[in-house]
Amino acid sequence: MRFDELELQQPILRAVEEMGFEEMTPIQTQAIPIVMEGRDIVGQAQTGTGKTAAFGLPMLQNINAKVKELQAVVLCPTRELAIQVSDELHKFAKFLHGIKVLPIYGGQDISRQIRALKGGVQIIIGTPGRVMDHMRRHTLKFDEVKMVALDEADEMLNMGFREDIETILSEMPTERQTLLFSATMPQPILEIAKTYQKNAAMIRVVKKELTVPKIEQFYYEVRPRNKLDVLTRLLDMYDPKLSLIFCNTKRQVDELVSALQTRGYFAEGLHGDLKQQQRDRVMNSFRNGKTDILVATDVAARGIDVDDVEAVFNYDLPQDDEYYVHRVGRTGRAGRTGRAFNLVVGREVYKLRDIQRYCKTKIRLQPIPSINDVVAVKAEKILDNIHQIIEEEDLSKMIHLIENRANEEDYTSLDMAAAFLKLSMGDGVGQEELKYDFEDFGDTGAEEGMVRLFINLGKKQNIRPGDILGAIAGETGMPGKLIGSIDMYDKYTFVEVPREYATEVIQVMKDSKIKGKSINIEPANKK
């Protein structure tokens, strides 16, 4: 089912179209029409299945922009998820005028949140603890709330939030719509549903037993700005006969095709905006080998049945774990070997672990290939081909030509062979290394995949967590949502950043100032 088949406001459809989404995921297909009817639902679906749009689009549809009171509440177990959901809703509401969405969570200065709430907010996305804080301060008024969504409800229960959730729900107006989403359905979830919902529709999108064919699978931890460089390096290194590259949106397909063509690769794009005649042309070109790289969205790639695809690249990790199986299964056909490469940014590594668990597969971490790696692999392939030619071909005429030229120019046959090898390998052998390698900071006491940094500024210097987050994100260009916990004390602060960003954060921030104050930043010593 496509989004444009829904009776959504045109500004919402325009935002979805701009984001490049073509077709709804199973949870969206089942949930959105029911939610738009005004019914309560209990949705069972794992992380990464598109739940945010399942409740977020109907939520935005029902908001009255002229009323500046709180009309919808989303409860999330963690600050990271609250920020992520808020970011998604902001994108969906891009062309809706007058609608304000605010994430509220612990770790951020509550006075800033109170000021924002006083300015008029229609949707809040909050953690139960911080929502309770605002309820105690009477800074949240639920009188006009028409819709409540619980995202990852089982996780909230595991974290001990059941009492808070029940307190919050009991304070809501009786006439409201309650949407509950959970990966599992333990008894406490069913009890909450029975107590606080009315005639709820049960929707289950539980993943089938998924397995991946015997295909070599790798992943590379990359920075957003290095994705294209790492992709092209892998293409150069493995030089697959035909490659399929998957992106999540039509826009990303177009941008990547343009970038690859600019670098001299024979790449074409395939997505839902193409007319059938264009699709046929692109597919024929790919099947015939005139195009050796096909960049596609999941929807557009359905029905692609080409036996010679040697490699699949997930430029974007798929939105749904099942899509991973469909993508990877397009290589290694008809008894051939195949490879799958995944480019993983920041905390997407957790999504990759979900994929491995559900697909019962092993995806191995690989270092970013260096220029020397690329050179060595390309040379090895050429030398393998040379071995075959020596064994099977009559080279007497060629030997005679080389001997004559070597004698005329005073070259050795080894000089000639080396020159031919360099010529065969093409340009790019001496290109500049990626400035990518990061230091091993050891154990700084951070969660897995993160590095804990010490900053010599704290509460007594009038510094707030938002100042730290804003400074790091602003100076480095790193998305703020990737920054982990910020623990602030009187004279110093600890902040967690993704491991691959740590070196850059330290280098950039050591010459920066926060609120006019110079800072000292360094890896934390584990306590």
Side-chain angles (χ1 to χ4, degrees):
M1 188 174 182
R2 297 176 64 92
F3 285 101
D4 54 16
E5 295 176 47
L6 298 170
E7 295 181 4
L8 290 168
Q9 297 177 49
Q10 197 56 42
I12 298 176
L13 288 174
R14 183 182 169 194
V16 172
E17 171 71 18
E18 185 175 279
M19 291 167 73
F21 296 122
E22 295 184 284
E23 192 167 282
M24 291 190 282
T25 64
I27 187 66
Q28 293 163 0
T29 299
Q30 293 187 49
I32 292 177
I34 297 174
V35 177
M36 289 178 67
E37 290 173 6
R39 289 187 62 187
D40 291 358
I41 66 166
V42 176
Q44 184 175 0
Q46 278 85 8
T47 303
T49 52
K51 297 194 304 294
T52 304
F55 63 77
L57 296 180
M59 186 175 282
L60 290 168
Q61 175 82 0
N62 293 331
I63 294 295
N64 185 346
K66 295 178 181 177
V67 176
K68 301 303 179 185
E69 303 294 330
L70 182 62
Q71 299 171 49
V73 175
V74 181
L75 295 179
C76 299
T78 63
R79 58 173 277 168
E80 287 79 16
L81 184 59
I83 293 169
Q84 179 183 320
V85 171
S86 176
D87 287 345
E88 284 287 297
L89 290 188
H90 273 112
K91 291 174 185 175
F92 290 136
K94 180 177 179 179
F95 301 109
L96 289 170
H97 300 295
I99 291 183
K100 289 190 178 179
V101 180
L102 179 71
I104 58 173
Y105 49 83
Q108 186 184 54
D109 186 356
I110 197 167
S111 62
R112 175 185 292 183
Q113 296 171 4
I114 292 171
R115 285 198 303 274
L117 289 168
K118 286 180 178 177
V121 173
Q122 288 101 342
I123 302 174
I124 63 161
I125 298 96
T127 52
R130 181 48 64 100
V131 171
M132 289 284 290
D133 285 344
H134 282 283
M135 288 170 63
R136 282 189 285 268
R137 295 167 182 256
H138 304 288
T139 48
L140 277 179
K141 296 179 181 178
F142 296 142
D143 301 349
E144 299 297 323
V145 171
K146 302 291 191 298
M147 187 182 288
V148 182
L150 279 65
D151 195 6
E152 298 195 8
D154 52 351
E155 189 63 26
M156 285 193 278
L157 294 191
N158 291 339
M159 295 171 70
F161 285 132
R162 177 170 180 172
E163 189 175 330
D164 288 353
I165 290 170
E166 295 192 341
T167 300
I168 293 166
L169 291 176
S170 65
E171 293 292 320
M172 297 286 177
T174 307
E175 293 301 316
R176 67 168 191 272
Q177 190 175 6
T178 305
L179 316 175
L180 189 154
F181 290 90
S182 183
T184 59
M185 285 293 156
Q187 189 59 34
I189 294 286
L190 300 175
E191 290 170 2
I192 288 175
K194 184 177 180 181
T195 305
Y196 296 100
Q197 290 185 302
K198 299 175 184 176
N199 189 29
M202 177 68 76
I203 297 171
R204 283 191 171 93
V205 180
V206 181
K207 299 197 180 301
K208 302 187 286 278
E209 286 293 312
L210 300 176
T211 56
V212 174
K214 292 182 179 179
I215 294 165
E216 288 186 293
Q217 299 166 74
F218 310 104
Y219 76 94
Y220 301 83
E221 293 184 347
V222 303
R223 297 177 186 171
R225 66 171 178 266
N226 286 135
K227 276 179 107 173
L228 178 61
D229 289 329
V230 174
L231 172 66
T232 54
R233 186 161 293 181
L234 291 170
L235 286 168
D236 290 345
M237 182 169 174
Y238 289 98
D239 192 24
K241 181 178 179 182
L242 294 178
S243 304
L244 255 176
I245 302 176
F246 283 97
C247 301
N248 288 343
T249 67
K250 293 177 286 188
R251 172 184 285 185
Q252 184 62 72
V253 167
D254 290 337
E255 290 177 355
L256 183 55
V257 168
S258 177
L260 288 171
Q261 289 176 346
T262 299
R263 294 188 178 209
Y265 295 90
F266 293 98
E268 293 272 8
L270 197 67
H271 56 62
D273 280 355
L274 298 183
K275 295 176 182 176
Q276 190 59 46
Q277 188 177 358
Q278 293 172 300
R279 287 177 59 90
D280 291 343
R281 181 191 62 78
V282 170
M283 280 308 304
N284 287 335
S285 181
F286 187 57
R287 285 194 180 96
N288 298 334
K290 293 179 182 176
T291 299
D292 48 29
I293 300 171
L294 184 63
V295 186
T297 58
D298 290 288
V299 174
R302 288 177 187 169
I304 293 178
D305 190 11
V306 180
D307 285 341
D308 292 335
V309 174
E310 292 183 2
V312 167
F313 295 85
N314 287 318
Y315 194 76
D316 299 322
L317 279 188
Q319 292 177 278
D320 192 290
D321 301 337
E322 290 185 34
Y323 290 169
Y324 183 84
V325 179
H326 298 319
R327 291 181 178 188
V328 170
R330 298 184 188 279
T331 184
R333 298 221 174 165
R336 295 178 174 86
T337 57
R339 291 189 177 101
F341 303 93
N342 300 277
L343 305 186
V344 178
V345 177
R347 295 194 172 188
E348 286 181 349
V349 71
Y350 299 117
K351 172 63 179 168
L352 195 76
R353 287 174 190 163
D354 287 339
I355 289 171
Q356 291 188 80
R357 186 164 59 249
Y358 290 123
C359 301
K360 295 180 172 55
T361 189
K362 181 67 177 174
I363 308 173
R364 299 198 301 273
L365 174 64
Q366 295 289 300
I368 304 296
S370 68
I371 290 298
N372 289 336
D373 293 332
V374 177
V375 170
V377 170
K378 289 180 79 171
E380 187 176 350
K381 284 188 176 181
I382 293 169
L383 292 171
D384 285 343
N385 291 336
I386 288 173
H387 173 76
Q388 187 175 352
I389 292 170
I390 291 172
E391 292 291 324
E392 299 175 1
E393 302 286 342
D394 179 7
L395 301 176
S396 54
K397 289 183 179 179
M398 304 300 148
I399 292 172
H400 181 67
L401 287 170
I402 289 175
E403 284 179 341
N404 286 343
R405 178 54 64 95
N407 290 333
E408 288 174 10
E409 303 288 349
D410 197 24
Y411 297 142
T412 67
S413 54
L414 193 60
D415 291 333
M416 298 284 285
F420 274 122
L421 180 59
K422 182 172 176 58
L423 187 66
S424 300
M425 292 177 64
D427 296 329
V429 172
Q431 62 182 303
E432 187 179 347
E433 276 291 334
L434 284 175
K435 300 284 192 273
Y436 194 86
D437 296 333
F438 42 80
E439 295 177 36
D440 180 8
F441 293 103
D443 187 357
T444 59
E447 66 175 90
E448 190 173 355
M450 307 288 279
V451 171
R452 198 165 185 243
L453 302 178
F454 167 88
I455 299 176
N456 66 329
L457 297 177
K459 296 176 183 176
K460 288 201 171 178
Q461 284 85 25
N462 246 352
I463 304 296
R464 299 172 300 182
D467 299 322
I468 302 285
L469 188 149
I472 293 175
E475 292 291 334
T476 64
M478 175 174 60
K481 63 185 179 183
L482 295 185
I483 296 173
S485 62
I486 300 176
D487 300 318
M488 182 160 279
Y489 299 89
D490 284 346
K491 295 183 179 179
Y492 55 88
T493 299
F494 291 108
V495 58
E496 293 187 6
V497 300
R499 183 166 59 98
E500 66 269 26
Y501 284 94
T503 298
E504 182 181 3
V505 169
I506 292 171
Q507 289 174 347
V508 171
M509 293 302 295
K510 68 182 181 183
D511 298 321
S512 302
K513 293 185 177 182
I514 298 179
K515 280 195 168 180
K517 300 178 177 65
S518 298
I519 68 169
N520 175 44
I521 182 168
E522 58 190 47
N525 295 318
K526 184 180 177 183
K527 291 191 172 183

